[in-house]
Amino acid sequence: MAQSMWFPKLLPVTERSLLRPLLHHTTNPLLHSSTTSLRQSNLLPRRVSTAAVSPMESITVLMTCPPVHPYLVEALEKRFTLHKLDSVPDKAQFLSSHRDSIRAVVGNAAAGADAELIDQLPKLEIVSSYSVGLDKIDLAKCKEKGIRVTNTPDVLTDDVADLALGLMLAVLRRLCESDRYVRSGLWKKGDYKLTTKFSGKTVGIIGLGRIGMAIAQRAEAFSCPISYFSRSQKPGINYKYHPSVVDLAANSLGPKGVLINIGRGPHVDEAELVSALVEGRLGGAGLDVFQDEPNVPEELFKLENVVLLPHVGSGTVETRQAMADLVVGNLEAHFLNKPLLTPVV
């Protein structure tokens, strides 16, 4: 049987027990396109200039996530009065004393705006997330209170798709292990063992949105047959469609299959995934996300058929700056009473 690779919207799955969490998360498509096309269509604002200061310094913005990118922090500080919740020693006291001045929140996939925070900020008007994922934002509460929500789609596609293929190659060709083999001096004692080719392997994808399609197009260049699951069959697409995640998994995975997760850690039963890898029921895994980041199951550390990354799917200078531009651009659009660039709510 040909070895297969599976991209569950880049979420790994093996058997029905592993699928349970994923089955509840397949209706959250990501929308993406290239940074260049966005700028040409005027959706993405021009690169933020440090010399251009908007007349909004009196507007107070709360950053709920740790300062993840100096470029974003600098851009926000030049335009608004920025407070970083991560650096506040007494968060409860701070929120109480600033509850009537904070009009915007900036978060990310790890820290956004839950119902409790939203209730503490009666003047909150907008939550601008430095991420595509909105798991940490209570969207229902925002809708209830008329709070706008934006995220940063359409600029991650290439990076995430590139990384997915990179993980595939790294797992199958044992690139990380081979690197360690050379550095440790073992090559002088003999050649490294044979690995497995990537070209021609079956690739299954959950969610054929723009990221999924970008991965499929890249995999096609390696002569890989493509199959997919989505909420509905895509018109004009020649890839094999499966009506359920379980059906896709049954036709894509096996004891030699490789699973790639660059979506969300909680979408997969991590304990079952670890067991499948340790017991040999799965051929390998490439993981960029985990259930309780930055904590990673230690059982994975000693497995040479597993490649572990610290959630860097969009972690390039170019993409993170484009994301920051969208965060700032959405805030400026809101407070200037202009249409939001990437509205969610």
Side-chain angles (χ1 to χ4, degrees), residues 230-298:
S230 188
R231 287 177 294 177
S232 59
Q233 189 166 0
K234 303 290 185 181
I237 299 297
N238 294 325
Y239 306 141
K240 181 175 176 56
Y241 173 71
H242 292 275
S244 72
V245 176
V246 175
D247 187 51
L248 177 65
N251 287 276
S252 300
L253 283 173
K256 293 185 179 180
V258 173
L259 305 174
I260 304 298
N261 187 353
I262 51 177
R264 294 284 179 273
H267 289 176
V268 170
D269 186 329
E270 191 168 81
E272 176 62 20
L273 174 61
V274 172
S275 295
L277 289 165
V278 171
E279 296 168 10
R281 293 185 281 117
L282 193 61
L287 308 174
D288 184 47
V289 292
F290 304 89
Q291 186 170 321
D292 182 28
E293 298 175 1
N295 301 305
V296 177
E298 294 186 4

Side-chain angles (χ1 to χ4, degrees), residues 175-188 192:
L175 299 184
C176 300
E177 186 69 18
S178 296
D179 176 80
R180 290 191 291 269
Y181 192 82
V182 174
R183 293 174 187 271
S184 66
L186 290 174
W187 192 18
K188 296 176 182 179
Y192 187 69

Side-chain angles (χ1 to χ4, degrees), residues 91-106:
K91 294 178 174 55
Q93 181 179 0
F94 171 84
L95 291 172
S96 177
S97 60
H98 290 80
R99 65 190 309 272
D100 290 324
S101 62
I102 295 172
R103 298 174 61 188
V105 162
V106 170

Side-chain angles (χ1 to χ4, degrees), residues 2 30 38-39 43 59 63 74 91 112 120 124 131 143 150 176 226 239 253 281 287 289 294 298 303 307-308 321 339:
L30 305 178
L38 281 171
R39 290 193 188 284
L43 173 61
I59 296 173
M63 179 176 280
E74 180 182 355
K91 294 178 174 55
Q120 291 178 286
L124 183 61
S131 66
K143 290 178 182 178
T150 65
C176 300
I226 310 297
Y239 306 141
L253 283 173
R281 293 185 281 117
L287 308 174
V289 292
E298 294 186 4
L303 300 179
V307 175
L308 307 171
Q321 287 187 349

